[in-house]
Amino acid sequence: YSGTYLRFGISNLGEIMPFQYPLGTEHLQSGAYICGYTVAYQFGGVSYVDFAGSQVGAGIVPVSYREVTNTPVLLVVEVVARTADGRVRITRTFTFPKSEKGVRVETVLHDLTGAGLQQLVYKEFADWDVDGLQVDRWDYDRSRNMAYASSVHFAAIAGQEKPALMDIDGWADYSTASTTVNIPSGPVLGDGLEILHFDLGSPAAWASRTVVTAYVAGDNLAELQSVVDRTLPSTSWLSLNPTELVIPPGTSQDVAVGFDAGRLNVGDHDAFIVLDSNDPFRPQLRTPAHLHVIGTPDIALSATSLEFGQVFAGISRTDMLAISNVGTAPLMVTSIEASPSAFVALTAGFSLA
């Protein structure tokens, strides 16, 4: 799939390979092709580890592949896989605005045992070879739940939620349930492998757990951070009450959905309301939520009064009053006047974005 800046592939197991930015400049399909995810859990007192990583993998089989949307501006792909033992269904939904430099990946792990899983672990991993080079500069941005590699360009996986562990030298860990952080801080030079490790607890029978990550690229660290912020926006503006409920047969119950634009920038904001349930045929339903925020200007002055003190006759004195716009839409000041006539405003109208 190609967009304005980004080209990538999605396998029938939900692995991303290749990953190019700019178009034709490869960051994954170089050397060993290793990029994907790990699912580990305990069931009946026995530990299991399954993983899919392009050229490496074990224990995960494909179920379905579907292009939900593929327009000139947006791509949404749903890939369903499962563990070969039939205990866990893995649904990966890829969302790619084609003018962007990032791909959002929502992974849902659903218990199929009917008895629940213990110590469920999910990992997202990538052997970044940025600009086709095996030796890259590696570092962390913990404020964005991100480990990244760079050469001429920058590439990373970031998490919407904070992972339990992050590592940039995860070669020994993508095929195991545990993760040992060999390099806790950067920057370092080397042939690394990024791992985001999520501990998901012990879901009950037929329950599911969701992890949201993003594959992103940019020309520098500042742009990479900006792409992460756009690809994994906060959904704190959307609230639900209640968040858990039991509905008796033949009845219904309302859920109050709240939209709070108080801290949002002007523009469109999108999210999904995800309902997980014990319905064996439709264990998860997703309802889109959309909010369009219109900005308002908010004028602020540096002072509420000006004190000129004692001024001799025939002499003038000038003072400054700063006018700021702390709102979210342009402020248009159409005129500035002073009274009585002994005072003069030296600035006419203006606008502040």
Side-chain angles (χ1 to χ4, degrees):
Y1 300 102
S2 293
T4 306
Y5 306 102
L6 201 61
R7 177 181 295 138
F8 62 95
I10 303 172
S11 75
N12 64 351
L13 295 179
E15 306 139 317
I16 286 186
M17 184 66 67
F19 191 81
Q20 297 179 2
Y21 169 77
L23 303 183
T25 301
E26 183 56 53
H27 304 305
L28 282 177
Q29 202 170 64
S30 179
Y33 302 172
I34 300 178
C35 178
Y37 58 91
T38 303
V39 178
Y41 59 93
Q42 290 188 5
F43 181 75
V46 180
S47 297
Y48 299 88
V49 180
D50 306 292
F51 61 101
S54 300
Q55 286 189 335
V56 298
I60 295 179
V61 297
V63 174
S64 65
Y65 189 107
R66 180 169 66 104
E67 288 187 0
V68 179
T69 300
N70 191 359
T71 71
V73 297
L74 180 66
L75 171 74
V76 180
V77 172
E78 180 191 79
V79 179
V80 180
R82 63 171 175 82
T83 56
D85 56 27
R87 296 191 180 100
V88 183
R89 180 172 60 240
I90 305 154
T91 303
R92 288 180 45 96
T93 304
F94 300 80
T95 303
F96 172 49
K98 293 185 178 180
S99 62
E100 274 292 355
K101 301 178 182 181
V103 183
R104 181 184 188 272
V105 186
E106 180 185 88
T107 303
V108 180
L109 307 178
H110 185 76
D111 168 53
L112 299 178
T113 67
L117 304 170
Q118 293 77 49
Q119 298 182 31
L120 180 62
V121 168
Y122 178 78
K123 303 182 186 184
E124 195 89 37
F125 61 84
D127 169 25
W128 293 112
D129 293 319
V130 178
D131 297 302
L133 302 175
Q134 290 189 339
V135 176
D136 298 303
R137 181 182 178 92
W138 292 81
D139 209 341
Y140 299 94
D141 181 345
R142 298 190 184 279
S143 67
R144 288 176 173 81
N145 307 318
M146 174 176 74
Y148 62 91
S150 64
S151 181
V152 176
H153 300 96
F154 285 67
I157 303 174
Q160 189 165 65
E161 303 296 332
K162 182 179 179 180
L165 299 164
M166 293 194 295
D167 195 14
I168 54 179
D169 187 30
W171 288 104
D173 299 321
Y174 66 79
S175 60
T176 65
S178 62
T179 297
T180 301
V181 179
N182 297 312
I183 303 176
S185 62
V188 296
L189 288 175
D191 182 14
L193 185 142
E194 174 184 2
I195 283 184
L196 302 187
H197 173 125
F198 298 88
D199 288 327
L200 302 180
S202 299
W206 307 113
S208 61
R209 293 288 189 271
T210 301
V211 176
V212 179
T213 55
Y215 287 70
V216 295
D219 291 331
N220 49 58
L221 179 57
E223 184 182 39
L224 190 75
Q225 293 167 331
S226 178
V227 175
V228 171
D229 294 343
R230 295 195 304 270
T231 309
L232 297 176
S234 170
T235 57
S236 59
W237 53 270
L238 186 64
S239 62
L240 304 172
N241 185 36
T243 57
E244 295 184 2
L245 62 158
V246 176
I247 304 175
T251 67
S252 63
Q253 185 169 331
D254 291 334
V255 174
V257 181
F259 293 80
D260 181 5
R263 297 184 179 181
L264 296 180
N265 293 326
V266 174
D268 293 314
H269 300 267
D270 292 280
F272 284 97
I273 299 171
V274 182
L275 291 85
D276 295 318
S277 73
N278 62 344
D279 184 331
F281 300 104
R282 293 188 297 173
Q284 184 179 90
L285 294 177
R286 293 157 52 89
T287 300
H290 176 78
L291 177 62
H292 180 72
V293 179
I294 300 173
T296 56
D298 186 1
I299 192 170
L301 303 179
S302 60
T304 58
S305 64
L306 298 178
E307 175 59 56
F308 289 89
Q310 189 177 56
V311 181
F312 292 104
I315 303 297
S316 64
R317 177 175 295 175
T318 301
D319 203 347
M320 300 295 293
L321 176 67
I323 303 174
S324 304
N325 179 14
V326 296
T328 54
L331 172 70
M332 307 296 294
V333 179
T334 55
S335 67
I336 302 177
E337 299 178 354
S339 64
S341 59
F343 298 90
V344 178
L346 301 180
T347 303
F350 56 89
S351 64
L352 292 174

